[in-house]
Each structure stands twice: as structure tokens, then as C-alpha cells.
Amino acid sequence: DKIMHKIGLHGKSFIPLIMGFGCNVPAIMSTRTIENRNNRLLTMLINPFMSCSARLPVYILIIGAIFPTHAGTVLFSIYLLGILMAIGAALIFKRTLFHSEEVPFVMELPPYRIPTMRSTVKHMWHKGSQYLSKMGGVILVAVILIWALEYYPKNVPYSKPYDELIAAKNAELAVAQKHREPTSQLQQELHQLEVTKDAEHQAQSYLGHIGKLIEPAIRPLGFDWKMGVSLVSGVAAKEIVVSTLGVLYQVDNSDDSNKLIDKLRTERYQSGTKVGQAVFTPISALAFLVFILIYFPCIAVIAAIKKESGSWKWAAFTIAYTTGFAWLMAFATYQIGTLIWG
């Protein structure tokens, strides 16, 4: 409690923050144990800095592709950076938005009894249904929206007649199977055609247009439009960033994950002033990791903040300040890193 008070928090804030490393949603819901409203709101606002498990697949992908020899150090540094930023944000907010007298740490301990199976299952069912009813609707709407942006418009102009090529390849495959000839090469070519078609469709989808629209804003961070699209899709859930990059780089979920890592390592700019240069350099990859760490927590977290705070004001404030701060930190990381290491 003494340590937490030094950074402007209450001792009861410790458990919600630790829970945030698993998932920020139940962590924010657990802040209701904090009696003081200012301390409760402050804990909610800094909780997204705790790297939830959904961010871990993104960290592992980027670190495995760009920092394979220092993977453990980089991953630990990202988690540590999140903790340090949470402390800094807590100190700033305590002096500005939530200035109030410190509340002493008092925790009432209930009488402990051996739980019965019936009461345990009943409690789990009640809390589980409560979680799904509160968050399920918002998550469902967000996922449907992201899917619609990615799926439509359905008919887009392709660089090749993919439907005809896929049909012809299927015919070749059928003939080869009929004559019991080797089909692995044909299956690989068919698979590549389908993945390439999906990548072109996503690039011309509404989500792809949004990524290209925000590209000027993220270019100073060292990001291209594909990274922008993955960030937009990550609003629904952070792990979607990986699958979106897989589609855009023509590697789907059935492929070996090492293929996506190879794609990230070899991807080059096809146009502009950086034509021929690598998209994912150590500096741009580090800026991308910093952005993933800080920016817009997922829709479920925003819904939880709205529910627990009782107002959309704090939910909107969380969206604005985390995304703005993410841009500033990624900008500083990329620009300073470029000046120092080139």
C-alpha cells in the first residue's frame, strides 16, 4: 500500500493491475472493490498499459521476425515499458484529474468457510453469464463491423482473373487425382492463388481503404498501409493483428507461422521515396511494438470502462489519450532511432 501510494494509487489497485496482464476486462471489472471513486477511475485508466495476453501473439510474431537473437530482452522491455508508463500516467492523472486526499488501506475480511461444489458452480455460472451479457453484445457488434469492412465491397477489380485461374487449377487437380498422379505441387499453386486473391480483396476492401487513408498519419512512425490495416482490425481484439497481417502478406492460418515471419523480414516498399527498402526494420518494428502496447484498448475494455465508470466520457477519454500517446511514443521511437542508428 505504501508503494502504491507513492505513485498515486491505492493498495487495492494492485490486484486489478496484476490481473491486467491476463485480460484487461475482468481487471477493470475488479476495480469495483476500490471504494474511492477517484482511485477506481484512475486504476481503470492506467490498466490498459498492462500488456494483456491478447497482445502476446503480436509481440512474439514481430520479435521473432526482427529480434530473434534478443527476443527475451525485447519482450521483457515491452512489458517493463508498459509498467513504467502506467506509473507515469498515474502520477500525472493524480496531480491533474483526480486530486484528492489519500484513503487509508482498510480491508474487511469475511468469515472463511469451505466452499461447496454447488455454491462454486452457481457462483461461476452467475459471474460468467454476467460477463457475457455485459461484454458479449459490444464485442459481437465490433467483430461484425470489422468483418463487414474487411468483406465488402464483395466485387472488386483484380489484377488477374483469379476465379478462372482457380477453376482451371481445380480441373487440373481433379485430372491428376483421377490418374493418381502427384498433386502436392498443384495443391500448393491452388492455395497460393486463393491466398493472393484474398490479399488483393482485403487491400481493396473498406478496411483496406481505411488503412490507406490513415497511411499519411502513420508514415512518420515508419508504418505502411498494411500495418495500418492491421492496427484498425486490432481494435476488435489485439490478436486479430496477426491474422490480418497473415492475409495481407498472403500467408493464411493453415500455413507455417515461419512463412509469415519470412514475409515480414523480406517485405520491401514497392513505391514512394522508400522503394526497395525493408518495411520492417528494427526501428520501425520497435515503434510498431510500442504502438501495439499503448494504443486503443480493445472494444471489450472500452465497454468495461463505460460500465464500471457509468459514463461514456471516460471510455472516450481512454480511447483518445491512449491512441494519442501511442502515436507520440511510436513517433519518438522511430524518429530518434532513425537519427541515432540511421
Side-chain angles (χ1 to χ4, degrees):
D1 182 59
K2 288 182 179 179
I3 295 173
M4 297 300 283
H5 272 299
K6 288 182 180 179
I7 62 175
L9 294 169
H10 190 269
K12 290 184 178 180
S13 300
F14 182 73
I15 297 301
L17 292 176
I18 290 294
M19 289 177 66
F21 287 110
C23 179
N24 295 142
V25 176
I28 289 169
M29 294 174 70
S30 71
T31 59
R32 63 184 63 174
T33 60
I34 305 171
E35 291 84 1
N36 184 273
R37 176 173 169 79
N38 283 349
N39 287 332
R40 188 162 64 250
L41 287 171
L42 179 56
T43 306
M44 288 183 208
L45 292 180
I46 67 170
N47 204 285
F49 288 119
M50 304 296 107
S51 286
C52 64
S53 57
R55 294 184 177 102
L56 190 57
V58 189
Y59 295 160
I60 291 174
L61 173 67
I62 303 300
I63 291 172
I66 311 300
F67 308 102
T69 56
H70 302 91
T73 303
V74 176
L75 184 61
F76 177 77
S77 300
I78 291 295
Y79 275 81
L80 182 61
L81 178 63
I83 296 170
L84 294 176
M85 286 191 296
I87 293 172
L91 292 171
I92 293 171
F93 289 153
K94 191 68 175 180
R95 287 175 171 81
T96 55
L97 298 177
F98 305 110
H99 184 70
S100 62
E101 294 183 2
E102 293 185 352
V103 180
F105 183 84
V106 178
M107 181 177 287
E108 296 181 6
L109 297 178
Y112 287 95
R113 299 181 178 88
I114 296 175
T116 64
M117 180 60 70
R118 183 175 180 273
S119 63
T120 301
V121 172
K122 185 177 180 181
H123 186 71
M124 289 169 57
W125 181 266
H126 174 69
K127 292 300 180 183
S129 61
Q130 186 182 45
Y131 173 85
L132 291 175
S133 64
K134 284 183 177 180
M135 305 303 157
V138 177
I139 296 172
L140 180 63
V141 171
V143 170
I144 290 173
L145 179 61
I146 294 295
W147 170 82
L149 290 173
E150 185 178 356
Y151 187 75
Y152 293 102
K154 191 173 181 180
N155 297 315
V156 298
Y158 292 106
S159 61
K160 298 178 182 178
Y162 286 107
D163 290 336
E164 296 176 11
L165 293 173
I166 290 172
K169 196 62 65 176
N170 275 318
E172 289 183 44
L173 185 61
V175 171
Q177 290 174 339
K178 183 178 180 180
H179 293 87
R180 297 183 180 181
E181 297 175 354
T183 59
S184 58
Q185 181 65 30
L186 289 172
Q187 288 176 339
Q188 185 177 356
E189 292 174 359
L190 176 62
H191 173 69
Q192 187 59 42
L193 282 172
E194 292 172 342
V195 171
T196 305
K197 179 187 176 183
D198 289 341
E200 285 196 22
H201 181 271
Q202 188 156 19
Q204 298 185 65
S205 67
Y206 294 127
L207 192 64
H209 287 305
I210 291 173
K212 292 175 181 178
L213 183 66
I214 66 173
E215 188 177 17
I218 61 176
R219 194 178 294 123
L221 315 182
F223 304 166
D224 68 344
W225 72 269
K226 293 181 181 179
M227 298 160 80
V229 170
S230 69
L231 291 173
V232 173
S233 65
V235 167
K238 291 297 176 286
E239 59 268 34
I240 298 178
V241 171
V242 175
S243 58
T244 303
L245 286 174
V247 173
L248 292 173
Y249 286 110
Q250 302 178 25
V251 179
D252 71 5
N253 294 330
S254 64
D255 285 328
D256 186 351
S257 60
N258 289 329
K259 290 185 179 180
L260 180 54
I261 289 177
D262 291 338
K263 285 279 188 177
L264 296 182
R265 288 173 178 168
T266 58
E267 180 70 8
R268 295 289 186 270
Y269 284 100
Q270 303 299 318
S271 61
T273 58
K274 294 183 179 181
V275 62
Q277 298 181 23
V279 174
F280 279 93
T281 63
I283 300 171
S284 65
L286 192 59
F288 189 69
L289 289 173
V290 170
F291 199 92
I292 290 289
L293 167 68
I294 308 171
Y295 92 112
F296 195 129
C298 69
I299 291 294
V301 174
I302 297 303
I305 292 175
K306 184 268 175 185
K307 180 66 178 179
E308 297 302 321
S309 66
S311 171
W312 277 110
K313 177 181 70 174
W314 294 112
F317 176 74
T318 303
I319 294 172
Y321 103 84
T322 55
T323 305
F325 189 45
W327 192 94
L328 291 174
M329 287 295 294
F331 177 81
T333 301
Y334 182 72
Q335 296 298 332
I336 294 173
T338 302
L339 287 175
I340 295 175
W341 290 287

